[in-house]
Amino acid sequence: MSASLAFVFPGQGSQSLGMLAELGAQHPVVLETFKEASQALGYDLWALTQQGPEEQLNQTDKTQPAILTASIALWRLWLEQGGACPAYVAGHSLGEYSALVAAGSLSLGDAVRLVERRGQLMQEAVPAGQGGMAAILGLEDADVLAACAEAAQGEVVSAVNFNSPGQVVIAGAKAAVERAIEGCKARGAKRAMPLPVSVPSHCELMRPAAERFAESIAAINWKAPQIPVVQNVSADVPADLETLKRDLLEQLYKPVRWVESVQALAARGATNLVECGPGKVLAGLNKRCAEGVSTSNLNTPDAFAAARAALA
């Protein structure tokens, strides 16, 4: 185990058609991982990620298992290649489930079925077109919170992802999000732009989804994590399994405290952060969240080799 090493797992938005194609061609463990997930889901997940259709891959209930499986394929490849075991793991939103699989708390089969269900419930909680999300860039957190409070007018809108200093995502009812965008612009935001998503994640509109999801969480045979997991809701390592499961449920309707999560990792000495998933969204954010943090990602053969060399 490397005390300075933490693995962080990405959330939705990291998927792309053809992801991990080169690594899949070179390393059987990648295809084996997708085969295991496909058996649990009842359809060919690798074929969907490689051939599409893209609209289907971008449906929440397909996207979530796809990103999780890709992340775990890279995790297994890392260990197979002799990569050091991290001292901590964390995941952004959906990525928290990948982190829990890596930590041995949850099997891959259980995890992909769980996040498929999570995606379905999120989609059902708010009918398409009624919710929205927006990215707010270049504005203090306090100003974003004030803009949301002013824009609510009896509807839901709140800051839901604290991704890096000066990058906050808001979510809620469509009209309230539109009002909050204008409020953020008026307060001096560099950019305030709607995101192309069908579900307003991590806001109060998702509480009914969490209530229905509790049954799925309770049905799983959970194990205590073998690697400490820093969770989104608390930006801390949970004290026990009950806390872990409660925070996982609350994560559906509470903010992702990513800045504080990265700071918590750095405060514990884990400053080498490896993004374990398709894409490199987190690598860009992590550097801005805490001093002295270095980042690597594993999404291509070259990136994987560079990370192995840097952390050998």
Side-chain angles (χ1 to χ4, degrees):
M1 188 196 81
S2 171
S4 66
L5 187 62
F7 266 51
V8 293
F9 296 85
Q12 276 183 247
S14 292
Q15 75 277 11
S16 61
L17 219 48
M19 61 188 186
L20 305 197
E22 288 175 88
L23 286 163
Q26 292 171 16
H27 303 285
V29 69
V30 174
L31 299 185
E32 284 159 15
T33 303
F34 271 88
K35 190 175 178 184
E36 189 183 327
S38 298
Q39 284 167 344
L41 293 165
Y43 64 89
D44 189 337
L45 187 59
W46 180 252
L48 177 62
T49 62
Q50 300 308 302
Q51 293 143 31
E54 197 166 9
E55 307 76 64
Q56 200 176 348
L57 179 61
N58 290 339
Q59 283 171 12
T60 300
D61 62 333
K62 298 287 191 291
T63 306
Q64 295 198 27
I67 292 172
L68 185 147
T69 303
S71 299
I72 295 306
L74 291 170
W75 167 252
R76 289 176 175 178
L77 179 60
W78 176 262
L79 297 180
E80 183 183 272
Q81 299 281 311
C85 193
Y88 294 92
V89 291
H92 189 288
S93 184
L94 158 73
E96 196 162 280
Y97 291 83
S98 310
L100 288 164
V101 176
S105 192
L106 187 60
S107 73
L108 176 63
D110 281 343
V112 290
R113 285 190 294 263
L114 207 50
V115 300
E116 177 183 53
R117 181 72 182 134
R118 181 178 182 263
Q120 288 164 351
L121 291 170
M122 288 167 72
Q123 206 87 60
E124 287 165 17
V126 180
Q130 292 190 15
M133 296 181 82
I136 311 300
L137 306 182
L139 199 58
E140 294 290 330
D141 291 357
D143 288 326
V144 178
L145 295 170
C148 287
E150 193 179 277
Q153 297 174 24
E155 290 187 298
V156 170
V157 61
S158 57
V160 295
N161 291 0
F162 295 92
N163 285 335
S164 68
Q167 185 183 331
V168 177
V169 174
I170 64 172
K174 193 168 186 289
V177 169
E178 287 166 359
R179 291 192 293 271
I181 287 173
E182 294 311 311
C184 288
K185 285 178 181 169
R187 283 172 168 81
K190 282 185 189 151
R191 292 179 75 186
M193 52 206 177
L195 295 174
V197 294
S198 56
V199 173
S201 305
H202 305 295
C203 74
E204 199 55 38
L205 296 176
M206 286 293 126
R207 193 184 282 265
E211 286 163 3
R212 294 173 65 196
F213 193 45
E215 190 184 324
S216 304
I217 292 276
I220 298 284
N221 178 27
W222 294 85
K223 294 186 176 76
Q226 300 300 296
I227 305 168
V229 181
V230 173
Q231 286 192 281
N232 290 182
V233 165
S234 61
D236 205 355
V237 176
D240 51 45
L241 260 182
E242 288 316 303
T243 308
L244 184 150
K245 290 191 276 188
R246 185 200 67 210
D247 285 0
L248 206 52
L249 273 178
E250 291 188 356
Q251 192 227 64
L252 272 170
Y253 60 89
K254 286 190 172 177
V256 173
R257 294 163 61 186
W258 191 250
V259 175
E260 291 169 87
S261 297
V262 173
Q263 289 169 351
L265 291 169
R268 288 169 162 85
T271 51
N272 289 323
L273 303 188
V274 175
E275 179 171 1
C276 188
K280 47 184 179 183
V281 176
L282 297 180
L285 300 177
N286 294 339
K287 278 185 248 191
R288 301 202 290 273
C289 292
E291 289 290 315
V293 163
S294 72
T295 62
S296 316
N297 49 292
L298 305 176
N299 61 323
T300 65
D302 287 350
F304 196 99
R308 284 282 290 116
L311 297 165

